[in-house]
Amino acid sequence: MEQHWLGILGNLYQEQARGEEAGRAYERALSIARKTGDRGAMGLWHNNLSLLAIERGQWDDAERHVEEAQQLLSHTTAEDAQLFPLVNAARIALWRGQNGAAKTLLDRVLSSAFQDPTPVLDARVIAAELGARTGDAAGAERHFRAALDLVESRRAGLRADSNKLSYLAGGIRFYRSYVSFLMR
């Protein structure tokens, strides 16, 4: 239970751009998961550490954590869990200018069945950024529109207004990317 709360704490720190504290919380959670032999949790914490490294521009660390997450999560039956490191691998490939590799990774995510829309939404935004970067404005727009449709369909399925509000708050990153694209 402690590792779960440490992960939530790390997420909160990360959202507040407090990377050092987020990293320490994720590392502590990872340490607990190692002691218990929980491969799924270890994969999750490595994935979170990879995203944190991406945000900091620490690309080699990010890649190392993605590889660890992929290896650990390859043994899980939860396909959604396997999608998160693929998205981060695509982020790294995009940053490194490896557009073909990024597209291949994104296609894998976008063609998968999913329960959690988060990795698919992130993949759509990255695919839109890739389209914008390579001069495919129509493709970028298609990905943003597909992401918007996904956000709206999921939101429409929520019953309580408080759930709708928190769901939309979580999608702020997507909306910012879309507005930035439209302004360009």
Side-chain angles (χ1 to χ4, degrees):
M1 187 54 92
E2 181 183 1
Q3 83 170 277
H4 174 75
W5 291 113
L6 285 166
I8 290 172
L9 182 61
N11 293 342
L12 291 172
Y13 283 142
Q14 193 167 358
E15 287 176 18
Q16 297 171 351
R18 295 168 60 184
E20 292 298 320
E21 291 102 327
R24 282 195 294 274
Y26 293 147
E27 288 288 352
R28 285 180 52 205
L30 178 59
S31 176
I32 292 168
R34 281 186 182 128
K35 288 177 186 170
T36 62
D38 186 341
R39 294 177 64 84
M42 286 186 283
L44 171 68
W45 306 131
H46 274 293
N47 186 69
N48 286 10
L49 286 163
S50 74
L51 185 56
L52 186 61
I54 288 168
E55 290 174 357
R56 295 167 148 181
Q58 299 168 337
W59 303 103
D60 291 338
D61 284 345
E63 191 167 45
R64 180 178 54 82
H65 285 297
V66 163
E67 289 169 1
E68 287 285 339
Q70 286 175 319
Q71 180 188 20
L72 290 161
L73 295 173
S74 68
H75 301 288
T76 183
T77 58
E79 187 176 346
D80 283 4
Q82 297 173 25
L83 298 178
F84 287 94
L86 287 176
V87 170
N88 286 343
R91 283 183 172 108
I92 294 166
L94 183 64
W95 180 84
R96 290 190 167 155
Q98 300 166 341
N99 296 343
K103 184 178 180 335
T104 299
L105 291 163
L106 294 168
D107 287 346
R108 282 181 58 194
V109 174
L110 295 174
S111 66
S112 67
F114 63 92
Q115 296 291 321
D116 183 347
T118 306
V120 174
L121 183 60
D122 287 345
R124 288 277 181 205
V125 171
I126 297 166
E129 291 170 2
L130 176 60
R133 176 183 283 188
T134 59
D136 181 12
E141 178 69 22
R142 268 193 316 277
H143 283 293
F144 275 124
R145 289 282 178 191
L148 185 59
D149 290 346
L150 178 60
V151 168
E152 290 303 316
S153 69
R154 292 293 174 139
R155 186 189 60 78
L158 298 173
R159 301 262 186 251
D161 287 339
S162 60
N163 290 344
K164 291 178 184 179
L165 200 57
S166 65
Y167 181 75
L168 287 175
I172 289 292
R173 197 173 62 230
F174 158 70
Y175 287 108
R176 283 188 183 140
S177 294
Y178 188 38
V179 168
S180 177
F181 166 74
L182 290 173
M183 290 175 64
R184 283 193 307 263

